[in-house]
């Protein structure tokens, strides 16, 4: 396949991948990825067998290729309990049918990069995942040396949860991968150590404030009671003094 020349004013449109895209899809995958995919994978993509996909095409592309792929994304829906990241998600013990969407491949031909096509394709997947009530996240793997992809997914607000040693085996060599997750429909990861510590500090701070507030209230009550007690004592003393004066006065007049 000849690389297309960049067009000054591309008109990018998105559609599902179709059986007629099979040959170009295989060629682009071969050009972009170090991993070789089986023929069965491509047939599953173009025929929509357990795989959802979107294609990007340039309607302003010349030579009758206005409907030829210049970008794509493929993904699959999986049960959360059967996925490799089930331990990295916060579970609802009452629900067992939660699902995830796993991005299998994402690519854009070189001459059409930096036009926002990859971002739009990923947004298609996120929107699709969000439309599934049981779906809790979109996730994927990135080979450790692909710094461009790592920056891209971080910019797209994906969270890097893990580095997986030796995840890929390519041409006789092992490579690490990073696991990226984008939560949807209220999905969350389990509490991290930082979250636990933050919660405990907040809990203790609130507890100290509560105890301090109660002590201040008790102190005010004591002061108030003491003031009333002094007041009562003063009144009693004054009354007693008046009585004594009256007795003394009466006694003096009788003499």
């Amino acid at each position: 396949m000849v690389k297309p020349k960049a067009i000054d004013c591309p008109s990018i449109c998105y559609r599902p991948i179709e059986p007629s895209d099979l040959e170009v899809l295989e060629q682009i995958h071969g050009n972009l990825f170090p991993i070789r995919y089986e023929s069965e994978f491509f047939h599953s993509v173009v025929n929509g067998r357990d795989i959802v996909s979107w294609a990007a095409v340039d309607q302003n592309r010349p030579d009758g290729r206005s409907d030829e792929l210049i970008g794509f994304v493929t993904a699959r829906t999986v049960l959360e309990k059967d996925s490799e990241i089930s331990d990295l998600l916060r579970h609802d013990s009452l629900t067992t049918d939660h699902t995830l969407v796993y991005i299998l491949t994402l690519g854009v031909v070189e001459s059409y990069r930096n036009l926002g096509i990859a971002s739009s394709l990923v947004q298609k997947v996120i929107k699709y995942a969000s439309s599934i009530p049981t779906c809790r996240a979109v996730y994927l793997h990135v080979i450790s040396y692909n710094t461009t992809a790592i920056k891209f997914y971080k910019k797209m607000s994906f969270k890097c949860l893990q580095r997986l040693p030796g995840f890929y085996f390519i041409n006789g060599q092992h490579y690490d991968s990073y696991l990226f997750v984008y939560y949807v429909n209220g999905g969350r990861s389990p509490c991290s150590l930082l979250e636990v510590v933050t919660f405990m500090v907040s809990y203790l701070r609130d507890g100290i404030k509560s105890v301090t507030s109660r002590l201040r209230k008790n102190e005010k009550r004591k002061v108030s009671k003491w003031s009333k007690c002094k007041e009562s004592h003063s009144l009693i003393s004054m009354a007693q003094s008046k009585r004594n004066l009256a007795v003394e006065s009466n006694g003096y007049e009788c003499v």
Side-chain angles (χ1 to χ4, degrees):
M1 182 180 65
V2 179
K3 291 183 181 179
K5 294 181 180 179
I7 297 175
D8 292 335
C9 298
S11 176
I12 309 300
C13 295
Y14 302 89
R15 60 168 175 78
I17 292 179
E18 302 168 348
S20 58
D21 298 316
L22 179 61
E23 183 180 352
V24 176
L25 185 68
E26 289 180 328
Q27 289 175 337
I28 298 177
H29 273 75
N31 292 337
L32 297 183
F33 303 118
I35 299 172
R36 293 294 170 256
Y37 292 88
E38 299 291 335
S39 176
E40 183 182 353
F41 166 74
F42 296 108
H43 281 278
S44 295
V45 172
V46 299
N47 291 296
R49 292 199 296 262
D50 299 323
I51 293 177
V52 293
S53 63
W54 289 265
V57 298
D58 179 7
Q59 293 189 327
N60 284 346
R61 198 172 176 185
D63 305 326
R65 294 186 297 171
S66 61
D67 199 45
E68 185 177 302
L69 298 188
I70 50 96
F72 59 85
V73 64
T74 65
R76 174 184 284 127
T77 301
V78 299
L79 283 173
E80 180 186 311
K81 64 180 181 180
D82 296 334
S83 74
E84 63 205 272
I85 69 166
S86 59
D87 294 338
L88 301 176
L89 297 168
R90 187 170 295 179
H91 292 278
D92 179 354
S93 58
L94 301 177
T95 306
T96 58
D97 63 345
H98 282 166
T99 59
L100 307 168
V101 171
Y102 179 56
I103 294 181
L104 299 164
T105 59
L106 168 70
V108 178
V109 299
E110 187 174 351
S111 56
Y112 281 90
R113 291 177 187 170
N114 300 314
L115 296 176
I117 296 172
S119 299
S120 295
L121 288 166
V122 171
Q123 285 295 342
K124 297 284 185 186
V125 178
I126 292 173
K127 185 177 179 180
Y128 168 76
S130 300
S131 71
I132 304 173
T134 59
C135 186
R136 290 295 174 265
V138 176
Y139 77 106
L140 57 100
H141 295 93
V142 178
I143 200 164
S144 57
Y145 61 73
N146 193 344
T147 55
T148 300
I150 291 169
K151 290 177 181 178
F152 168 75
Y153 286 113
K154 286 182 176 179
K155 185 178 179 180
M156 293 289 294
S157 298
F158 279 73
K159 306 296 182 184
C160 184
L161 295 190
Q162 270 189 340
R163 180 171 180 141
L164 304 171
F167 182 84
Y168 291 106
F169 186 71
I170 304 170
N171 298 326
Q173 186 173 347
H174 287 282
Y175 295 91
D176 295 353
S177 82
Y178 289 104
L179 173 66
F180 282 89
V181 177
Y182 185 100
Y183 297 106
V184 298
N185 299 329
R188 290 189 64 190
S189 64
C191 290
S192 64
L193 179 60
L194 178 60
E195 287 178 314
V196 172
V197 171
T198 302
F199 172 79
M200 290 302 296
V201 169
S202 177
Y203 180 80
L204 290 172
R205 187 188 296 118
D206 291 342
I208 292 170
K209 285 181 180 179
S210 178
V211 170
T212 303
S213 177
R214 288 179 183 177
L215 289 173
R216 286 176 178 171
K217 285 181 180 178
N218 290 337
E219 191 64 30
K220 287 180 180 179
R221 286 174 185 169
K222 287 180 181 179
V223 170
S224 178
K225 286 180 180 178
W226 172 244
S227 298
K228 289 180 180 178
C229 186
K230 282 182 69 179
E231 223 176 280
S232 301
H233 182 70
S234 298
L235 290 171
I236 292 169
S237 298
M238 287 175 66
Q240 187 66 38
S241 297
K242 286 180 180 180
R243 287 197 195 99
N244 291 338
L245 285 170
V247 170
E248 287 176 2
S249 178
N250 290 336
Y252 179 77
E253 287 176 354
C254 288
V255 170

